[in-house]
Structure formats: structure tokens, C-alpha cells
Amino acid sequence: MPTGNEAMEALEARLRENPPMLLDGGTGTEIERRGAAMHEKAWSAMASLTDPDIVRGVHRSYLEAGAELIIANTYPSNRHVMARAGLASEFEPANRRSVELALEARAEVEARGRAAPGRRLWVAGSMSTTTFTGGLDSDVLATGGASDHGYQAQARILAGAGADLLILEMMRDVEETLLCLDAAQDTGLPVWLGFSAERDTRGGLRFYGSQAPFEEGVAEVLDQGRAPQAVGVMHSQMELVADAVAAIRRAWDGPIFAYPHHGIFEMPNWRFDDTLEPEAFAARAMDWVRLGVRAVGGCCGIRPPHIAALQEALARDYGG
């Protein structure tokens, strides 16, 4: 796989092509659904060490469903979460092994010829500012022990383990997002920036878990930080995607991706809601594609059958 500038150019070219790029579904929730133990303070962070076969199998399932890009199980593995959970010594092993398992799944699928035909497969390392406490309180973040709250260390580990790109998930403020974005971009890898939104009391959008207006916050990050390769909406309810995409478009003229969730999180478990049929998800996702979204998938609660249905819908609309 290409690295650095080659990866940047290859992904940029792919984002301009049709059909739009197909992403995977929820990693942590699918790992949980398949029986891996969830840590009470760090959710799926330890699963790559305790249940590697389950984690590898989840990635393999998404690739076999047609996903071109899978995201390693590192969303909950930032340093401040691991430290708060008493897992500081596992910070590097958990992040490194998570990327390795995604790479192993890709190699297995490619060797069997069961990948998306004619498409390069990508492995992303995930980074997040999440604390699993509902806020971005400085005392929790400070447990990372460094001014960047460990983002630089995590970014280096993910890049060193072989990630092709980095995706920043559930960004929901300005200051922490800029720290995370800067650390990710220092690796030289492509960086995708995913914001999370919710409705405010007047029906507008704000950052998830915050009072900060969504559109203004997105614009402020993009104005202050180095430009990412793509910007999207992640870890947000599906009914918010259209409005969030429109808000992002007013602040950003580059590629946009959509990766919403389905269900409710109650630490340390996801409360599954199986009412969303794969075909219904695919229909909604195709609406986002018609809004100009260039990469599409789903996070928590979205499963391999949903991604398979979306792959079929993309094939019907674009051929192949």
C-alpha cells in the first residue's frame, strides 16, 4: 500500500471517482455483539488484545460485504481514556495490535479474492477526543500527561503500525479537535475529520454534548487548522446527516463523508436497536450520496448486512 504523498494522491483520486467510496460499519459495536468483553471505562479498547479473532473477523466481514475502507478498533484507545481506566501500560499495545488486526483481515480477504473487485482496500487508524464521561473536562484529559493529551503519541503509533490514513472521530469542540488534527497531520498520512452533531432546543445543530453551534464550530476548526483531506459527519443520528452535510458544505468545499450511528450508548455497552433494516439504511445512504457525499458508511449499530445492502444500491445506481 502507498504511504505519505502516494496515499494522499490515491485517496484523492478515489474520492473523485464514481461510485462514491464505501466505508465500513460500526467496529466497536460489532465486536461487542460478537461476544468480546467490554471494559467498564474503556469500552472496546482492550478487545484487540483479549479477543483478536473477533476483532479480525469483524474487519473481514465488512470487507467481504464490499467496504473499501475499514477503521481499526482504536476509537476508544486514546491515552487519556486508557489512563483513566487504569490501562496506561496497554496504550501502545492496544493501538498497535488494533491496526495489525485490520491489516491482517485485509490480507486475508485479498488472498481469497473476496474484496471489492477492482478496488484498493484501505485501513484507517481512528483517533478521538472522547472521554466516555460525556464531556471534555480538563482533569480527565490531563491524565494523558502531555500538553497534547497523548494525541501525538497515538498518531505516531497508528502510523508506525501501518495505517494508511487517520480518521478523527466524534470531534465536538474546537480546541481539542485542533490538537488532535495537528498531531494526526504531523504523521504525513491523509487525515479525515469527522464531526458529531445533535439538535439544540431550537431545532438547529450544535456539537454533540456541547452548546457550541455546529456550523460555526466546524468553520472555526477549518479556518484555524491545516486542511484535512475530507470532512464528514460521524457518530450522529441519521436524521441529522442532511443538515450536517449542508452545514459542512457552507464551510468546506472539499470531499464530504457520512458515517452516522443507530442505537444508544450506555457505558460500557451499546443498546442495540435492530429496527433498521439493511435496505432502509441503504436507501437513506443513497439520499446522502445524492447530496454530494463522496464516501459513505456507518458507525455504531451499523452492521455488515447494512454495508452489503449499500454496496448493492451503489452498484445498481452506478453499474458494476
Side-chain angles (χ1 to χ4, degrees):
M1 293 295 294
T3 58
N5 290 337
E6 290 181 323
M8 195 83 67
E9 292 171 2
L11 271 172
E12 285 176 354
R14 176 63 190 94
L15 289 170
R16 291 192 297 267
E17 297 172 356
N18 282 323
M21 193 174 190
L22 181 58
L23 311 179
D24 64 1
T27 300
T29 49
E30 190 66 11
I31 290 168
E32 178 182 353
R33 186 187 285 271
R34 296 189 186 195
M38 297 293 106
H39 192 280
E40 63 179 354
K41 293 183 178 179
W43 193 38
S44 66
M46 291 297 290
S48 296
L49 299 178
T50 62
D51 296 277
D53 291 341
I54 290 177
V55 176
R56 189 188 301 107
V58 167
H59 293 311
R60 189 169 55 240
S61 294
Y62 283 124
L63 292 169
E64 291 175 347
E68 300 171 56
L69 185 152
I70 53 174
I71 302 177
N73 178 41
T74 58
Y75 163 74
S77 303
N78 58 47
R79 190 161 66 181
H80 51 263
V81 165
M82 299 291 278
R84 182 184 176 90
L87 301 169
S89 64
E90 304 296 344
F91 168 65
E92 181 167 355
N95 278 279
R96 184 171 299 279
R97 188 62 180 137
S98 291
V99 174
E100 291 172 349
L101 290 170
L103 293 170
E104 289 169 12
R106 180 176 70 187
E108 291 176 13
V109 171
E110 288 178 331
R112 296 175 185 175
R114 301 180 67 176
R119 294 293 182 189
R120 175 175 286 161
L121 304 182
W122 300 86
V123 169
S126 170
M127 297 176 62
S128 180
T129 61
T130 189
T131 63
F132 290 118
T133 62
L136 291 162
D137 41 309
S138 59
D139 62 319
V140 174
L141 294 172
T143 62
S147 60
D148 76 336
H149 306 145
Y151 303 136
Q152 290 181 355
Q154 186 180 26
R156 288 194 296 267
I157 293 166
L158 299 177
D164 302 311
L165 69 153
L166 300 177
I167 294 183
L168 310 191
E169 297 196 44
M170 206 173 184
M171 298 293 105
R172 52 200 177 99
D173 82 326
V174 175
E175 182 180 359
E176 291 297 320
T177 297
L178 288 170
L179 287 172
C180 197
L181 177 61
D182 191 53
Q185 290 180 317
D186 280 349
T187 66
L189 294 179
V191 176
W192 291 16
L193 178 55
F195 292 100
S196 293
E198 65 181 4
R199 292 283 181 204
D200 61 28
T201 56
R202 294 176 295 178
L205 292 184
R206 64 188 181 194
F207 276 141
Y208 183 85
S210 167
Q211 297 301 315
F214 181 80
E215 185 172 338
E216 287 85 344
V218 169
E220 187 173 352
V221 169
L222 294 174
D223 182 59
Q224 293 187 44
R226 288 176 281 171
Q229 183 180 66
V231 178
V233 53
M234 304 182 77
H235 293 272
S236 304
Q237 293 292 344
M238 290 186 194
E239 58 267 24
L240 304 183
V241 170
D243 286 352
V245 166
I248 291 169
R249 177 59 70 208
R250 288 189 286 271
W252 167 253
D253 61 2
I256 294 178
F257 64 97
Y259 199 80
H261 65 222
H262 182 65
I264 299 173
F265 188 59
E266 295 175 340
M267 190 68 178
N269 301 109
W270 188 262
R271 194 167 77 198
F272 293 101
D273 180 352
D274 293 327
T275 60
L276 181 66
E277 294 295 330
E279 292 74 17
F281 167 74
R284 287 191 181 192
M286 293 304 293
D287 287 339
W288 310 329
V289 168
R290 295 180 189 104
L291 293 175
V293 165
R294 298 305 306 154
V296 62
C299 52
C300 300
I302 302 303
R303 307 192 60 217
H306 296 95
I307 299 305
L310 179 50
Q311 192 279 329
E312 292 175 2
L314 288 166
R316 284 194 302 270
D317 272 30
Y318 291 91

